[in-house]
Structures are given as structure tokens and as C-alpha cells.
Amino acid sequence: MAQTALKLKGSPPVSDWKKWLGVTPFFLFAILFLVLPSLRLVMGSFTNSEGQFTFANLLQLFQEQFILDAYWLSIRISAATAIGGGIFGFLLAYSVTVGGLPKPLRSALITFSGVASNFAGVPLAFSFIATLGRTGFVTALIKNVFGINLYQQTEFDLYSFWGLSLTYMYFQFPLMVLIMAPALDGLKREWREAAENLGASTTQYWLRVALPVLLPSILGSMILLFGNAFGAYATAYALTGGRLGIITIQIGAQIRGDVLHNPGLGYAMAMGMVIIMAISLIGYSWLQKRSERWLR
Amino acid sequence: MTHLSLKNVSKHFGDFTAVNDFNLDVNKGEFVSFLGPSGCGKTTTLRMIAGFEIPSTGQITINGADITNKAPSQRNVGMVFQSYALFPNMTVAQNIGFGLRIRKEKEADVVDRVKEMLAIINLEKKADSYPYQLSGGQMQRVALGRALAIRPEVLLLDEPLSALDAKIRIALRAEIRGIQQKLGITAIYVTHDQEEALSLSDRIVVMREGEMDQVGTPFQIYNFPTTVFVANFVGTLNNASAEVVDPAKSIIAIDGIQFESAVDLKERKKGDKVRVAIRPERFNFVSQEKKANIVDCRIENITFLGSIVRIQVMIGNSKFYMDTFNNPFLELPKIGDKDQVTCSREAVLVLDE
């Protein structure tokens, strides 16, 4: 009887299937565009051109020099842009949070970062070609104003390792700003005051308290930046046209290319990428948890 | 002997005066509380002693040495913050030893001092725990240990118990007072909780709108408030407008009902408007105890407050509270009853209107 009375008093019970209604589109989307392609990728990497099961594709990953070079190049570009973008983004985030710059500047930078961190692919490549390409606006300006031809008198080349890294930096540092600004906001004023009160200088506070507290966030963010650059394809392809054989371009060539067409090998290379990205994300997630525990 | 001294200290933020002409001498080993509502300037004054704010005018000295413009790191003043401010990347022991390591003390001495502090705050078993593994009360004890580890000249406590629940607050405040007395350290304690200030302090500075309203022992502050603000802020107080009837005999009248006070009113004139203040616990029903002032009243309301029963009565047209200890055999009047209450002459405080 008591149970009946309780049921009558409470809100009407929601059918189990209704609880799942809101997330159904997401799961459908994930199944169609994440789970199924992933399964296809795994199966494809174990399949040869005749459709038979094989380990040859995976073995080739460690045997073919151009594949190892492609991974290594991608890792180097991703690491360079993660470190560069990370440092640059951290300094910017610091300036507009604890650095004491005017508040309107913070809003402007955060808005810019929100837009710039998503500005990648063909438009970004073309905007860099239009500014820093051989006949780009800035290249011409430097030549006309300072008399320096970037491409003839310096080592600069937009279509090289550093050129591509510079282009990636455009979306890397804003992403760092977006992640680090809340972490820097999480530094409590009382920590600094407590450190000062106990005799610490500003440098000692940063070295012994603030940076160690922020370190998981900084490293985690850099891992995210690494993953962000590692998975980039369209920007590099549009900018260099395949001159730089990063792993995503090599995968594209294997799956869609006319000359190097070997989808099985392409899938195996993509699986290698997935493993590297997964390791990155696990690292990011572990560091983020540690950071949240300290900054809450 | 004066240990900490604040002379004519003021702090302005633009046009706003946070602290105005603050003067206080604190003796070695004394526990002084700054008590007042939010925005009265108590925390600003504390932060000026710590060095986080520089006074606009005035001078602060410790042991006669001027520290007014010294950096916080150069003052040797320990501070306990409301939000604990423990370094989250360090264990309890590392937090306590932080100040000593910054001062480059020998590692063996640091270890000994940390052990000593852990024993004082009774957290020996938590030495290797991180702050996120501690309760609020434990964190505040670590903060206290950390502030004391550097052997500060003065210990500053900025509402250290306000984030804790009631039971822990009461236990920890006794612990704080015990440690302070044991170490004989000079302490300044900021609070808006009158009970905390009354139970902990040797002296209380009641502040209002950046100024000191009254300085005195808890006994003086509670029993002999000198301003209406202090009278109202510290404890519950009945107060009503009154008129001086006979200055020579210290008789005043509330709505025509006469009260005799122990306060000397010879300097006032007949007809002067004053404010009368009487603590609720100083009233009694006439049937229980005969006192000097016996007045008619009507029972308006009765409220149980645990150990206390608060009875609201009307004396003339003025509303008064009287407190009586609760006990199961207490015979209470009924709402609407007419009765008589009494209070001693000493209970009737007379303040400026």
C-alpha cells in the first residue's frame, strides 16, 4: 500500500526508451560515421587487394622506409607546432588572465581564438599562400619596403617543414589560449599571497607553485595540440600539394591515389595513426584529471 | 609591551575610504579580533598588516620596526586564509615546510620543525596526504601549521573558520586559541561572527564603515557597548527611544513607562532624547525575581531556540525580547497574557539617540 501511495505522489515514471530518445541521433551518427568506418578501417588493414586476410599491410608499416619517414615527419611537425603553439598560446593566455592586461583585450582574444582555432584546411592554406607565398602580399611588402626577397635572400619557404609548421601555428596557438585561459583563471590569488607571506619571491612562487600546478594542463594541452596537427590533412595538401609526405597525405595517396593505390596499406597506416592519437588522448585525459583535481 | 602598532592608518581606493584613521596597539601574545559586518574594513586592515595592501596614510610597526612599505615576503607575518590556500601540488608536510625551505633553512631543521607542527595540529598521520585528500577542518589546521612553522612575529587569521560547518568551527576555534596561548604568539583574527570573537579574544575591535567603533575585552563589548551599533551588532539587544525623566536619579521613560538605570545621567537634561538598551537575558518575570524596574507587559510571541526560550513582550508600544533558559518543567505564559517583567538598574543601558 505504501508503495502505491509513493508512486501516486511522485512524477509519472518515464518509459525506459524515452530516456534514450535525446541521444539516439548522436548514437546513430556515431555508428554511421565513426564505428562503421573504424570497423572498415580495421578490416581493411587485414585485407589484401584480392580480398583475402593478410598481415602484410601491417608488416609493411615497419618495413617501408617512406612510411616510417611519413610518420616521423608528421610527428616532428606535430611536436614542433604543439611546442611552439603551446608556448605562444600560454604566454598570450597568461597576458590576458593573470598578466593584468585590460579586460576588453581578453574578450577580443578569446573570440579570435574561438574562430582561428577552427580555421584550417584549404581556406587557411590559401590565405597563407596569399600572404606569405612567393607572390604573397606580405612577401611583396617586405621586398618593397625592406628590399628583402624572402625566397631568394633567406631560407624561408612556405612550402617546407617550417612553412607548414607556421601555417599550423595559426590554429594551434588559439587552441592553446582557449584551453589555458580557464586553467590560469583557476590559479587562486590566495596561493600567490600565501607564498609571498611565507617569504617566496614571484619567481619562487611560479617555479614552486603555479607552474607545477599548471604543468598537467600545459602538457595535456600540448598533447591535444599534437593530436590536432597530427590529424591535419587538407591544410598540408592544399599548401604543399604533396611535396611534404606527412602521414595523412601518404594515406590519402594509398587509398585514393592512381599511382600508389593500395587501400589495404592505407588502412593499416591509418590504424597506426589511430593508435598514436589514442595514446595522445589517453595522456591528455590522465593529465587533465590530475589538473582538475588540483584546480577545483 | 606593544608588539604590533597601527598609527593613523587609512586606506583609500579612489574616492572610497576602506579604513579611516585606525589606531591600535597590540601587546605581545595578545589575541585581538576585528569584528564587524562585511565591508567594514576589517580584512583591508589585516591585509595592510600582511603587506598585501599598502596604507594610504599612517604607519605600521612590529617590535618598533616600521614595516609599512615592506613587501609581504619581508615581514615575517604568518597568515591563515579563509579558503585555506594550501598548495595543491604539495603534501601536508611539504606545505608546512614550504616557508622554511624558501628561507633556505637546513633540511634537518625543516624536517624537525614540520614534525613539531604536525604534532601541534594533530595531523601526524596525514603528513603525506595531499590537500584534496583532507577535510575542510584538516586543511585549515594545515594552513595554521604552515603559517606557524616560520615562527612569525604576528599570526593573522582572515575568517579562517567561516567555510567550515558549525561543529568543526567550534572545535577548531578552541584549538586555535589553545595553540596561540601555548606558543604565546600575537594574533589578529578577522571575523563577522560575534560568538567567535567573544569566545576567542583578549580584546575585540568592533569596526563600522572603516572606523573603529569600540575597542575592549569581550566582557566590556558585550556588557557595556558604547554605541548603538556595537550594542546591536554584538549579541541580541532590545533598544527603544526614551526620554530622560530625572537625570539626578537616572530615571528614563519608554512610552511613559519609567525605568531606573545605573548609568550616570547627571550630564543630561530632563526631556533629553536617548536610546535605552537592555539585553534579553536581563529580563525576568516578576514572579521569579524581584528587581528594581517592574513594568507591565503583554506576551506577544514565544520562540524555542534550543537551550534558550525567547519571549517577545510589548512594554508600552515598544517591542522587547526576554530570554530564559529552557527546561522541561518551565511554566511559560501564553501568547496574549498580561504579566510583569523586571530588570536590574545595571541592565538598563543608556546610549545616545
Side-chain angles (χ1 to χ4, degrees), chain A:
Chain A
M1 281 300 285
Q3 277 183 340
T4 313
L6 277 175
K7 271 186 186 172
L8 286 172
K9 274 182 184 175
S11 52
V14 181
S15 306
D16 276 355
W17 66 269
K18 279 185 185 168
K19 289 179 193 167
W20 295 91
L21 206 58
V23 292
T24 307
F26 165 75
F27 282 123
L28 274 176
F29 192 86
I31 289 167
L32 284 172
F33 301 108
L34 182 72
V35 179
L36 290 179
S38 299
L39 284 174
R40 172 89 182 89
L41 190 144
V42 174
M43 285 158 63
S45 63
F46 291 102
T47 311
N48 63 17
S49 52
E50 281 81 42
Q52 293 159 334
F53 180 83
T54 180
F55 282 114
N57 297 325
L58 286 176
L59 287 173
Q60 260 187 292
L61 293 184
F62 304 98
Q63 290 163 347
E64 295 284 355
Q65 192 56 43
F66 83 93
I67 297 174
L68 293 171
D69 288 346
Y71 274 122
W72 182 232
L73 182 60
S74 278
I75 288 170
R76 281 193 301 139
I77 288 182
S78 303
T81 60
I83 293 167
I87 293 170
F88 187 35
F90 176 81
L91 292 176
L92 263 174
Y94 171 86
S95 305
V96 294
T97 51
V98 286
L101 284 180
K103 278 191 177 171
L105 201 65
R106 175 191 170 125
S107 307
L109 182 73
I110 297 293
T111 307
F112 164 78
S113 299
V115 176
S117 61
N118 288 297
F119 185 60
V122 179
L124 177 65
F126 284 155
S127 71
F128 265 78
I129 292 169
T131 50
L132 280 165
R134 286 183 191 280
T135 56
F137 169 69
V138 175
T139 312
L141 197 72
I142 292 171
K143 192 179 175 185
N144 293 336
V145 175
F146 302 107
I148 300 167
N149 187 326
L150 278 179
Y151 284 83
Q152 285 174 5
Q153 292 169 264
T154 69
E155 298 282 311
F156 181 78
D157 183 1
L158 183 64
Y159 315 105
S160 67
F161 176 92
W162 289 112
L164 182 60
S165 298
L166 183 71
T167 311
Y168 277 10
M169 288 282 278
Y170 188 85
F171 58 78
Q172 291 283 64
F173 83 80
L175 186 59
M176 186 71 176
V177 170
L178 289 180
I179 303 169
M180 282 313 299
L184 282 158
D185 282 334
L187 284 179
K188 292 179 185 160
R189 186 186 73 174
E190 287 87 349
W191 291 338
R192 178 193 279 266
E193 290 182 346
E196 279 182 51
N197 179 252
L198 293 163
S201 63
T202 303
T203 313
Q204 283 170 321
Y205 160 71
W206 272 97
L207 290 178
R208 289 173 184 247
V209 182
L211 279 177
V213 168
L214 288 174
L215 200 61
S217 288
I218 295 172
L219 291 177
S221 307
M222 283 187 170
I223 288 175
L224 205 64
L225 261 58
F226 177 90
N228 198 30
F230 197 72
Y233 169 68
T235 310
Y237 194 76
L239 189 75
T240 67
R243 258 178 70 185
L244 277 175
I246 60 172
I247 190 67
T248 46
I249 288 178
Q250 295 294 7
I251 292 168
Q254 294 298 335
I255 295 175
R256 298 193 317 183
D258 296 327
V259 183
L260 296 170
H261 188 66
N262 184 354
L265 181 60
Y267 290 139
M269 289 160 73
M271 216 167 81
M273 255 191 87
V274 168
I275 290 166
I276 292 173
M277 295 285 271
I279 292 168
S280 304
L281 285 174
I282 290 167
Y284 170 75
S285 164
W286 182 76
L287 288 164
Q288 205 59 22
K289 266 187 195 163
R290 200 177 169 85
S291 162
E292 277 168 15
R293 199 169 59 190
W294 283 355
L295 287 171
R296 75 182 167 200

Side-chain angles (χ1 to χ4, degrees), chain B residues 101-246:
Chain B
R101 290 194 173 92
I102 287 289
R103 282 148 206 252
K104 296 193 165 39
E105 291 200 12
K106 284 182 193 163
E107 191 54 31
D109 294 343
V110 174
V111 172
D112 287 347
R113 182 69 175 160
V114 169
K115 273 186 190 164
E116 191 187 334
M117 282 299 119
L118 284 168
I120 287 176
I121 60 171
N122 203 18
L123 280 177
E124 291 106 318
K125 288 178 184 167
K126 296 282 182 183
D128 297 322
S129 301
Y130 280 89
Y132 73 89
Q133 296 169 315
L134 304 177
S135 67
Q138 288 171 330
M139 280 197 270
Q140 202 53 292
R141 273 147 72 193
V142 177
L144 181 64
R146 183 179 66 177
L148 290 170
I150 58 168
R151 297 180 183 85
E153 290 284 350
V154 179
L155 177 66
L156 307 175
L157 302 109
D158 187 8
E159 305 203 31
L161 307 179
S162 54
L164 305 173
D165 63 55
K167 273 196 171 177
I168 294 171
R169 213 159 52 218
I170 291 166
L172 197 51
R173 80 181 178 213
E175 239 178 282
I176 289 174
R177 179 60 162 154
I179 292 169
Q180 181 268 336
Q181 283 177 324
K182 186 177 167 187
L183 301 178
I185 193 165
T186 309
I188 306 290
Y189 191 96
V190 162
T191 182
H192 60 262
D193 183 331
Q194 35 146 327
E195 192 185 309
E196 228 167 76
L198 291 169
S199 64
L200 278 170
S201 320
D202 293 316
R203 272 194 301 159
I204 297 172
V205 178
V206 185
M207 293 182 70
R208 180 175 60 128
E209 292 172 7
E211 299 199 355
M212 304 163 79
D213 230 45
Q214 188 177 348
V215 183
T217 62
F219 186 83
Q220 289 167 335
I221 295 284
Y222 188 83
N223 292 310
F224 306 108
T226 54
T227 67
V228 174
F229 173 77
V230 175
N232 278 319
F233 191 76
V234 183
T236 306
L237 193 83
N238 298 297
N239 72 87
S241 284
E243 194 179 294
V244 178
V245 174
D246 186 343

